[in-house]
Amino acid sequence: MMTEQMHYDAQDLRAIESTGRLDANEGIFFARQLEYIRPKAYDIKRAPLNAIALMPVDTSTPAGAEYITYRQYDQVGIAKIIANYADDLPRADVTAKEFTSPVRGIGDSYGYSVQEIRAAQFTGTDLSSKKQAAARRAHDELINRLAWNGDAVSGLPGLLSNANIPGYTVTADGTGTSKLWTAKTPDQIIRDMNGIVNQVTTQSKGIHRANELWLPLEQYTYIGSVPRSATSDTTILEFFRMNNPGVTVRPVLEMDLANAGGTLDAMMALENSIDNYQLNIAMLFMQHAPQQRNLEFVIPCESRFAGVTIEYPLAFAKADSL
């Protein structure tokens, strides 16, 4: 129920009053309702969208920026034994590749008709927050999809679509030369898991060490229920965790059908650190003052997003066909 103690945003009230569609009491009522409804999007209990839940988020990019630039560095050069008075010393240096990612606006809206506002005030009930929750959910789902897969048309880079991440080849030695874990022995599955985790270390010459392994849901539940051997009550997942205490194994929905063609499941080993990559949000979800459109008040919502940038691709390894 509505309470007289509810506050309202002065900018919202001015925007509402300027339209002349609502009387003074209706305008104050609507402004108070918006102040009440806006936080509700954060109260909805839903399973978290995995991009923001798993990836390090960087909000340091100014909202007004149109592009962000980042660099990948590498050391080059060698030393050698020299003679006295040598003047041909070899050169050691640092090389850098520069990459640019655009910052794109993301927006949607929700609204209430004049009659909805009048009816709510007349009956003494609150306006429904479901419209705002739907707008926020649609916005977050797009951010999640872009973070994983990017968008070639807008130039936004995604994690799974990054061509610089090294691939790991899953051995096709299951039943009928299959790569699928359901066709493999526990030993073969453990070898695949160890192999992709170890590749992060070897390909980076020990600079990076995988601390997470992301699996599709079906494969995660499979290794969590299949025994390590016929004589063991330890599952494949438990055995791997015991022997890799520094690696967190996670079920990640977005690993389902995550190969380049979207037809095969994938897994990813990574050193999950903001030093290696970032999910860039230049402006967090914002709701603007209501705008009148005929007999409706529309609340525009927006944010700004710059994709997932990867400075150290050798901190990752990705495998398809599980």
Side-chain angles (χ1 to χ4, degrees), residues 79-91:
K80 70 176 185 180
I81 299 173
I82 61 173
N84 292 340
Y85 310 111
D87 60 0
D88 59 344
L89 299 179
R91 186 67 177 264

Side-chain angles (χ1 to χ4, degrees), residues 141-219:
E141 285 177 349
L142 178 57
I143 290 281
N144 188 71
R145 185 164 64 252
L146 292 173
W148 289 105
N149 301 310
D151 184 74
V153 174
S154 62
L156 289 171
L159 178 61
L160 295 177
S161 59
N162 192 295
N164 294 321
I165 292 179
Y168 172 79
T169 302
V170 176
T171 305
D173 58 355
T175 303
T177 66
S178 174
K179 293 183 178 182
L180 300 179
W181 281 2
T182 52
K184 290 187 173 183
T185 66
D187 283 344
Q188 291 171 327
I189 295 173
I190 293 168
R191 176 209 57 205
D192 290 345
M193 296 171 71
N194 284 328
I196 191 170
V197 166
N198 292 337
Q199 178 172 307
V200 173
T201 302
T202 56
Q203 71 191 9
S204 67
K205 308 301 182 185
I207 296 174
H208 302 289
R209 295 184 181 275
N211 55 16
E212 295 194 13
L213 177 61
W214 296 347
L215 299 177
L217 301 189
E218 182 178 343
Q219 286 79 349

Side-chain angles (χ1 to χ4, degrees), residues 111-274:
Y112 299 95
S113 70
V114 171
Q115 183 55 33
E116 283 180 296
I117 299 167
R118 289 172 177 156
Q121 185 190 30
F122 175 76
T123 58
T125 58
D126 295 321
L127 290 169
S128 172
S129 62
K130 293 185 183 299
K131 293 183 179 182
Q132 194 247 22
R136 177 63 192 264
R137 182 68 181 183
H139 171 276
D140 288 353
E141 285 177 349
L142 178 57
I143 290 281
N144 188 71
R145 185 164 64 252
L146 292 173
W148 289 105
N149 301 310
D151 184 74
V153 174
S154 62
L156 289 171
L159 178 61
L160 295 177
S161 59
N162 192 295
N164 294 321
I165 292 179
Y168 172 79
T169 302
V170 176
T171 305
D173 58 355
T175 303
T177 66
S178 174
K179 293 183 178 182
L180 300 179
W181 281 2
T182 52
K184 290 187 173 183
T185 66
D187 283 344
Q188 291 171 327
I189 295 173
I190 293 168
R191 176 209 57 205
D192 290 345
M193 296 171 71
N194 284 328
I196 191 170
V197 166
N198 292 337
Q199 178 172 307
V200 173
T201 302
T202 56
Q203 71 191 9
S204 67
K205 308 301 182 185
I207 296 174
H208 302 289
R209 295 184 181 275
N211 55 16
E212 295 194 13
L213 177 61
W214 296 347
L215 299 177
L217 301 189
E218 182 178 343
Q219 286 79 349
Y220 180 86
T221 56
Y222 181 76
I223 64 173
S225 58
V226 174
R228 161 76 179 86
S229 69
T231 59
S232 173
D233 59 359
T234 300
T235 66
I236 297 172
L237 179 57
E238 290 171 335
F239 181 85
F240 178 85
R241 283 173 168 165
M242 286 188 296
N243 288 276
N244 296 271
V247 179
T248 300
V249 184
R250 299 187 187 277
V252 177
L253 175 63
E254 287 80 4
M255 292 293 105
D256 295 356
L257 305 179
N259 74 322
T263 58
L264 299 171
D265 292 344
M267 66 175 169
M268 178 174 285
L270 67 156
E271 185 181 60
N272 198 355
S273 168
I274 197 170

Side-chain angles (χ1 to χ4, degrees), residues 30 108-112 288-293 296-300:
F30 186 33
D108 59 7
S109 64
Y110 65 99
Y112 299 95
H288 290 277
Q291 301 174 5
Q292 182 196 359
R293 296 181 187 173
E296 183 184 29
F297 285 93
V298 176
I299 296 89

